Amino acid sequence: MVWREKQKSGSSGSGVVLKLLLMFLAFVETTAGAAAEYKNEIVSLRQPRHKNAYATMMYMGTPRDYEFYVATRVMIRSLVNLGVDADIVVIASLDVPLRWVRALEEEDRARVVRVENLKNPYKDQRNFNKRFKLTLNKLYAWNLLDYDRVVMLDADNLFLQKTDELFQCGQFCAVFINPCIFHTGLFVLQPSKAVFNNLLHELETGRENSDGADQGFLVSYFPDLLDEPMFHPPANGSKLDGSYRLPLGYQMDASYYYLKLRWSVPCGPNSIITFPSAPWMKPWYWWAWPVLPLGLKWHENRRQTLGYGDEMTMVLIQSVLYLGVIAVTQLARPSIPKLCYRRGDKNVSLIQTGLKLIAIWCILAAYIIPFFLVPRTLHTVLGWSLYLLGSFALSSVAVNSFLLPMLPVMVPWLLIVGTLLVMTCPWYSDGIVRALSVFGYAFCSAPVLWVSFSRIVSSLQVSLERETFFPRLGESPPPPGFNKLY
């Protein structure tokens, strides 16, 4: 009897263990399945609030990740301030820092969806540019199935007015900045799981891609868009079917403005500016203006929306440092040649040549180093002011260290200020006259720069020849009146 009870309890215990084991295996299987299905899926903690969305993407892995993060936030803030009737969605890769995600969600009121980076099968193409490696993440826009229509955007767009009528467009609509090739910096799409899966299939099979990025892939995927009709939003607010070309006014290339220094886009509302320029001349970089006049408009938009709180600490630190350098060099007035020893005529000649080279490199460094120290995304006016302060401070170090005349050393500083004034002059009739004026100013400045360089070299020679060197070790110092006679 006791044996039967033990056998019964043992069987019961084995059953419990067996059930636990089966539950564990089911859990592992479910987890593995979920992990397998996680790829190509979007994850978001926020629920959609509107039936349409403006979307952009964010990924990591380039030297300019922070700059594009700032640009994305500025664009989002501009959309929020315009009162658009749509969600703002950021398709962010899993490696985007959580503090950035929280800022986008809590401060910018955006909906962030986390995705796994799509592998780029074109990365071994001869003409492939590494900075476009992850731009194919843009295809996730077709997987935003919570929305009827999505306007997909690059971060270098600047909105001038609401464009909610774009949600009336069809299954795919884009702007032809190039007469024959549409631009993927802005396009309208209808999310579709079938289309999304087909896009992934085309990636795997290696569809032809002219540039290895999203631009070439989508142009290849929608080859007939040029033959489609122009989009005109229906007055009754209904949504269209099919594909359409968007008027150029929905994505005005900044290059058109630089040619005439005014907008002359007759087709469509002048609603959005795009900046498809060289990577280091995007409008959020402080040095982009006044080289490119529209950079100031972008920064004014940021000043009114996001602000510059993140950069101001560095601005204050550098400003105090530069002012301290100016004060110290004026009070101390060190003289580097006095640290040298006289070891014979040949050695003195070598030392003088070396000091000349050092002095010239110090002057060049005074104009180069501050450029890289200024925070890149600072307001352009503050950026240039901080750069000029830094170059003045470091130039004063060279002036006082080598006993050089101030004016020749500061000639490049004055020419830079003059260049900025020439470029910001508001009375040019068009961009061609402006460009010719800048080239003319540079041509006239070249002789002045050469004369200042010659003056610096001659002043260095005089300063080194008249400077008193320390005597060699073991030699008696020169008589008191020797210096005066020399």
Side-chain angles (χ1 to χ4, degrees), residues 195-211:
V195 174
F196 177 66
N197 290 335
N198 187 253
L199 288 167
L200 296 185
H201 173 72
E202 292 294 327
L203 276 183
E204 294 175 356
T205 57
R207 168 180 280 274
E208 182 183 357
N209 189 335
S210 59
D211 59 8

Side-chain angles (χ1 to χ4, degrees), residues 33 97 130 213 220 266 285:
K130 291 182 179 179
S220 175
Y285 293 116

Side-chain angles (χ1 to χ4, degrees), residues 428-481:
Y428 295 122
S429 57
D430 55 48
I432 297 176
V433 174
R434 178 178 181 267
L436 292 175
S437 300
V438 173
F439 282 124
Y441 176 82
F443 180 80
C444 296
S445 300
V448 178
L449 193 62
W450 176 254
V451 170
S452 67
F453 176 77
S454 303
R455 178 71 186 279
I456 290 172
V457 173
S458 61
S459 298
L460 271 172
Q461 184 64 34
V462 172
S463 177
L464 293 173
E465 288 178 352
R466 292 183 178 179
E467 193 60 45
T468 303
F469 291 87
F470 284 174
R472 284 187 296 175
L473 293 177
E475 287 188 357
S476 59

Side-chain angles (χ1 to χ4, degrees), residues 194-421:
V195 174
F196 177 66
N197 290 335
N198 187 253
L199 288 167
L200 296 185
H201 173 72
E202 292 294 327
L203 276 183
E204 294 175 356
T205 57
R207 168 180 280 274
E208 182 183 357
N209 189 335
S210 59
D211 59 8
D214 63 292
Q215 175 80 46
F217 180 80
L218 290 176
V219 167
S220 175
Y221 193 84
F222 297 99
D224 301 324
L225 189 64
L226 184 62
D227 300 325
E228 301 297 341
M230 185 69 72
F231 166 69
H232 298 286
N236 60 2
S238 62
K239 294 186 176 182
L240 302 174
D241 289 323
S243 299
Y244 292 86
R245 290 179 290 119
L246 294 177
L248 190 60
Y250 284 110
Q251 201 174 29
M252 301 183 295
D253 189 342
S255 303
Y256 298 145
Y257 180 89
Y258 301 144
L259 183 61
K260 295 186 177 181
L261 297 182
R262 64 181 183 276
W263 289 115
S264 56
V265 181
C267 53
N270 296 347
S271 304
I272 307 169
I273 304 173
T274 188
F275 298 87
S277 56
W280 292 105
M281 291 304 292
K282 293 295 185 181
W284 46 83
Y285 293 116
W286 62 267
W287 59 80
W289 181 87
V291 180
L292 303 179
L294 285 176
L296 185 61
K297 190 173 187 64
W298 188 94
H299 277 283
E300 283 301 301
N301 187 276
R302 177 183 175 177
R303 184 183 63 81
Q304 297 170 8
T305 55
L306 185 62
Y308 293 87
D310 294 339
E311 290 89 351
M312 290 312 297
T313 301
M314 184 59 67
V315 171
L316 293 175
I317 292 174
Q318 290 191 29
S319 299
V320 172
L321 178 62
Y322 291 143
L323 292 174
V325 169
I326 294 173
V328 170
T329 53
Q330 290 295 326
L331 294 175
R333 292 187 62 85
S335 180
I336 290 178
K338 288 183 178 180
L339 303 179
C340 302
Y341 289 94
R342 175 180 288 181
R343 296 183 179 275
D345 294 338
K346 184 177 181 180
N347 288 343
V348 169
S349 176
L350 291 175
I351 290 173
Q352 290 179 351
T353 303
L355 288 173
K356 288 179 184 178
L357 292 176
I358 292 173
I360 292 172
W361 278 110
C362 286
I363 295 172
L364 290 175
Y367 290 97
I368 296 174
I369 292 176
F371 183 87
F372 294 98
L373 296 181
V374 177
R376 293 176 180 176
T377 54
L378 189 63
H379 191 285
T380 186
V381 174
L382 286 176
W384 280 110
S385 300
L386 189 59
Y387 166 76
L388 292 173
L389 177 63
S391 59
F392 181 86
L394 297 184
S395 296
S396 66
V397 173
V399 167
N400 291 287
S401 298
F402 295 93
L403 303 180
L404 298 174
M406 175 66 77
L407 183 59
V409 176
M410 296 307 301
V411 162
W413 192 92
L414 296 172
L415 293 179
I416 291 173
V417 174
T419 303
L420 297 177
L421 293 176

